[in-house]
Amino acid sequence: MFGDLMGMMGKIKETQKKVEETKVRLNSVLIDEASADNKLKITITANRTIKDISIDEALLEDKEALEDYLVLTLNKAIERASQVHETEIGAVAKDGMPNIPGMDMFK
């Protein structure tokens, strides 16, 4: 019994290490998002850190339009980054979890 428990604990620690390594790797996974007309472009990491914003000169003349573009495009970029992040972390966590009957957390 204790051997099984120790094996499970070891696997959980190994999974935690892999999750942390994945989080570090996701800092280098870049996601590009743009407005429909390409007047605003955003680059964000899969850890949801904004790396670059490119704004068309025409948007600088209309504060309200620029704000709208930023909100819409940033939200799309964050949503895509979150999907990548959750998929990657979920895959590592699922792969490393011990098979405990009745604990089907990752279906």
Side-chain angles (χ1 to χ4, degrees):
M1 177 177 166
F2 286 113
D4 290 343
L5 183 59
M6 293 304 286
M8 282 194 296
M9 293 301 291
K11 190 163 185 162
I12 289 171
K13 284 187 185 273
E14 182 180 322
T15 300
Q16 287 173 332
K17 182 180 176 195
K18 287 181 180 178
V19 166
E20 290 305 314
E21 290 170 352
T22 301
K23 286 180 182 178
V24 170
R25 183 179 58 79
L26 291 176
N27 281 326
S28 63
V29 175
L30 299 178
I31 297 159
D32 294 316
E33 188 61 61
S35 60
D37 58 6
N38 283 322
K39 288 185 178 182
L40 179 70
K41 297 175 185 173
I42 294 172
T43 301
I44 188 171
T45 70
N47 280 330
R48 298 171 296 265
T49 300
I50 297 169
K51 289 295 193 178
D52 189 51
I53 296 177
S54 174
I55 302 171
D56 186 281
E57 290 287 328
L59 286 177
L60 297 177
E61 297 170 10
D62 186 347
K63 180 181 181 285
E64 286 183 27
L66 176 57
E67 290 169 347
D68 290 343
Y69 271 77
L70 283 167
V71 168
L72 292 171
T73 309
L74 280 167
N75 282 333
K76 286 190 327 187
I78 292 167
E79 183 178 330
R80 285 186 54 211
S82 293
Q83 289 171 349
V84 170
H85 186 273
E86 290 169 15
T87 299
E88 293 288 324
I89 296 296
V92 171
K94 180 180 179 183
D95 185 48
M97 291 302 292
N99 186 13
I100 302 171
M103 296 286 290
D104 298 329
M105 296 184 289
F106 300 102
K107 282 190 172 186

